[in-house]
Amino acid sequence: MKNQIPTFKHIPVMGLLALLTLALLTLNSCTDKKKTVAETTTTSTMDIPPLFERRGELASAIEWQRTKEKVAELNGKIRKEPNDIKPRLQMAVIYLAEARITGEHPYYYPAILKILDGVLTMDPKNFEATTFKASVKMSQHQFAEARELAEKARQINPSNAYVYGVLVDANVELGNYEEAVAMSDKMQALKPSLESYSRASYLREIYGNYPSSIAAMKLAVQAGLPGSEPQCWSKNILGHLYETTGQLDNAEQQYDGILVMRPSYAFAMAGQARIQKARKEYDKALVTLEKAAKIMPEFSFHEQMAEIYALQGNQEKARKKFAEVARMLDEDARSGHAVDLELCKLYTKAGQLDSAKIYGLIEYKKRPKNIDVNHALAWVYFNQHDLKNAQQHMQIALRTGSKDPELLQEAGAIELALGNAGQRDKLVAIARKTNPKFTL
């Protein structure tokens, strides 16, 4: 559950929500008709925001020209048939994919919502638009609203696998883990796929079963179209799982493999940088992160740089970089993206504990059962020497049996500070069983 990992947890992450370039092929819609019940409603093509022009390496990617051509084609269809819903939905799917590829979330998420709201004006019960809107709300970390929309979509079409994926994501983020497992099981029964395998993998990780989590993510990779963005996303998460379990060579192999297929895949570069950081190749890691940051404006790349500056003893550079990350998150917040948890973690790393606590409590009020939120707050309280509150939040963070080494190490530090050396030793032993190379 690290900010740097583009899974549907964050993202930018569980985020995320992945794999929408294939979504229209998997949705079993009851709204294929060209004209809706609101036939008198017309929405001008001017209501379709333009593509955000790619820059740098992403602008030279092969799919960019095809994307522009497809958007132009869809705009033509919308001008010709203003009440035809399908091209608007296809436009939303393209923009969802562009948001993932470019990282231009402050532009694309409001743009997508505008397109979808236009569809819902014409057809208030449109399944695809409702489901996609839930996905965008997930990506903006508006989890309660995302769950409400996904439940509404499920009432429209209870036999569609995709909507259960959104329900998995929303319930995870709200801390409803048992419900998330039930939704995941339903999703897999309806459609075994990259999407369903990846969600099963994350839930197994949450419940502390790393071997099974890795096995499920391997299935996700195998289910993906070789070289596609969804498959690269899955390989990136598989690399993260290898990192967490101390298998750095395997992790590096995943990241290197992605970049052979997609040289501009910035998240794989960030993965390489984490490997370099783990090997204390700090200058090399900074170069790799600079390259990733030039490709897409992802805050976590800059956050990693700040951490490396701090490890190098360059506190001034670290301070300036942490401040830059805060500005990036503020920009995201202005576009409707809830970033309170990210700010809590950022300010904790920067040593600004009062600010960290403020943002952590804002997020806790919205998601009191989420283990990541409670983990973040526990660590704030520990650093403020409020051990009682630190222990209380850490107990919630541990309630699913997570075996994440960082979480267990911090839980152990709290127990040791409370005088429970034996409990601390047990937690560290579990961490080292997950990752034999784990060091305090």
Side-chain angles (χ1 to χ4, degrees), residues 347-366:
Y347 284 126
T348 302
K349 292 174 184 176
Q352 300 178 45
L353 298 176
D354 289 341
S355 294
K357 181 179 175 180
I358 288 170
Y359 286 107
L361 288 172
I362 291 171
E363 194 67 25
Y364 177 76
K365 186 176 181 180
K366 293 183 288 186

Side-chain angles (χ1 to χ4, degrees), residues 221-264:
V221 171
Q222 292 168 11
L225 179 68
S228 66
E229 196 276 340
Q231 193 209 37
C232 290
W233 177 88
S234 300
K235 285 177 69 66
N236 204 58
I237 304 306
L238 180 58
H240 155 61
L241 291 168
Y242 282 137
E243 276 188 70
T244 303
T245 53
Q247 303 176 64
L248 296 187
D249 290 343
N250 285 340
E252 188 174 38
Q253 186 178 28
Q254 295 300 318
Y255 302 137
D256 291 349
I258 292 168
L259 291 169
V260 168
M261 297 183 292
R262 295 180 74 90
S264 60

Side-chain angles (χ1 to χ4, degrees), residues 220-331:
V221 171
Q222 292 168 11
L225 179 68
S228 66
E229 196 276 340
Q231 193 209 37
C232 290
W233 177 88
S234 300
K235 285 177 69 66
N236 204 58
I237 304 306
L238 180 58
H240 155 61
L241 291 168
Y242 282 137
E243 276 188 70
T244 303
T245 53
Q247 303 176 64
L248 296 187
D249 290 343
N250 285 340
E252 188 174 38
Q253 186 178 28
Q254 295 300 318
Y255 302 137
D256 291 349
I258 292 168
L259 291 169
V260 168
M261 297 183 292
R262 295 180 74 90
S264 60
Y265 199 81
F267 284 112
M269 295 176 194
Q272 288 181 324
R274 288 193 303 276
I275 300 295
Q276 292 158 355
K277 176 186 171 185
R279 293 171 177 163
K280 298 185 178 180
E281 299 171 352
Y282 297 138
D283 289 339
K284 193 173 182 180
L286 288 169
V287 170
T288 304
L289 288 166
E290 288 284 0
K291 184 177 180 181
K294 286 179 181 178
I295 293 173
M296 66 187 302
E298 167 57 35
F299 80 92
S300 65
F301 302 161
H302 296 273
E303 189 172 2
Q304 283 181 257
M305 291 183 214
E307 293 170 4
I308 293 172
Y309 289 139
L311 287 170
Q312 291 178 320
N314 194 332
Q315 299 305 322
E316 181 60 20
K317 269 195 172 183
R319 184 190 63 78
K320 288 181 179 178
K321 186 58 75 170
F322 278 129
E324 182 180 347
V325 176
R327 288 192 294 271
M328 294 177 74
L329 289 171
D330 183 62
E331 181 184 359

Side-chain angles (χ1 to χ4, degrees), residues 93-109:
V93 170
I94 291 171
Y95 281 24
L96 282 160
E98 281 297 296
R100 283 176 54 80
I101 291 168
T102 65
E104 296 291 350
H105 308 141
Y107 175 80
Y108 273 116
Y109 292 155

Side-chain angles (χ1 to χ4, degrees), residues 9-227:
K9 350 171 201 188
H10 293 292
I11 307 87
V13 2
M14 201 163 156
L16 80 184
L17 285 157
L19 326 171
L20 287 165
T21 54
L22 302 177
L24 283 179
L25 300 177
T26 62
L27 289 170
N28 301 314
S29 174
C30 54
T31 57
D32 286 336
K33 55 182 182 259
K34 282 192 174 182
K35 300 288 183 180
T36 73
V37 290
E39 290 207 23
T40 58
T41 300
T42 58
T43 306
S44 168
T45 188
M46 294 302 292
D47 289 333
I48 303 295
L51 275 171
F52 191 98
E53 195 68 28
R54 289 192 189 182
R55 300 185 291 261
E57 284 190 46
L58 290 176
S60 61
I62 295 174
E63 79 268 3
W64 177 231
Q65 184 59 38
R66 294 199 297 264
T67 297
K68 290 191 290 186
E69 290 170 358
K70 185 64 177 178
V71 167
E73 176 191 331
L74 292 171
N75 272 317
K77 289 182 178 180
I78 292 168
R79 285 192 294 270
K80 185 177 180 180
E81 294 281 353
N83 289 328
D84 187 354
I85 284 174
K86 190 173 181 179
R88 298 179 184 275
L89 293 171
Q90 290 175 319
M91 192 82 80
V93 170
I94 291 171
Y95 281 24
L96 282 160
E98 281 297 296
R100 283 176 54 80
I101 291 168
T102 65
E104 296 291 350
H105 308 141
Y107 175 80
Y108 273 116
Y109 292 155
I112 296 162
L113 289 174
K114 184 173 184 179
I115 294 170
L116 296 175
D117 286 341
V119 171
L120 290 169
T121 297
M122 292 188 280
D123 182 6
K125 293 186 177 181
N126 184 275
F127 172 72
E128 292 97 328
T130 304
T131 307
F132 290 163
K133 188 171 181 178
S135 294
V136 175
K137 293 297 182 179
M138 274 298 308
S139 296
Q140 291 184 312
H141 295 186
Q142 298 178 23
F143 304 121
E145 187 175 355
R147 185 178 185 274
E148 182 179 346
L149 284 163
E151 286 288 2
K152 182 178 178 181
R154 181 163 67 149
Q155 294 301 315
I156 298 170
N157 185 356
S159 300
N160 179 270
Y162 183 80
V163 72
Y164 288 96
V166 183
L167 286 168
V168 173
D169 302 345
N171 279 298
V172 163
E173 297 298 348
L174 292 170
N176 305 325
Y177 300 108
E178 295 82 2
E179 181 69 11
V181 170
M183 295 298 99
S184 177
D185 289 346
K186 181 70 172 176
M187 185 184 190
Q188 289 189 71
L190 286 168
K191 186 178 178 60
S193 63
L194 184 153
E195 295 92 334
S196 59
Y197 292 138
S198 63
R199 286 172 169 90
S201 172
Y202 182 42
L203 286 166
R204 293 171 187 181
E205 181 185 358
I206 285 172
Y207 280 95
N209 191 337
Y210 276 98
S212 184
S213 177
I214 289 172
M217 193 54 72
K218 285 181 177 178
L219 290 174
V221 171
Q222 292 168 11
L225 179 68

Side-chain angles (χ1 to χ4, degrees), residues 327-340:
R327 288 192 294 271
M328 294 177 74
L329 289 171
D330 183 62
E331 181 184 359
D332 270 0
R334 289 197 299 272
S335 73
H337 191 163
V339 294
D340 299 303

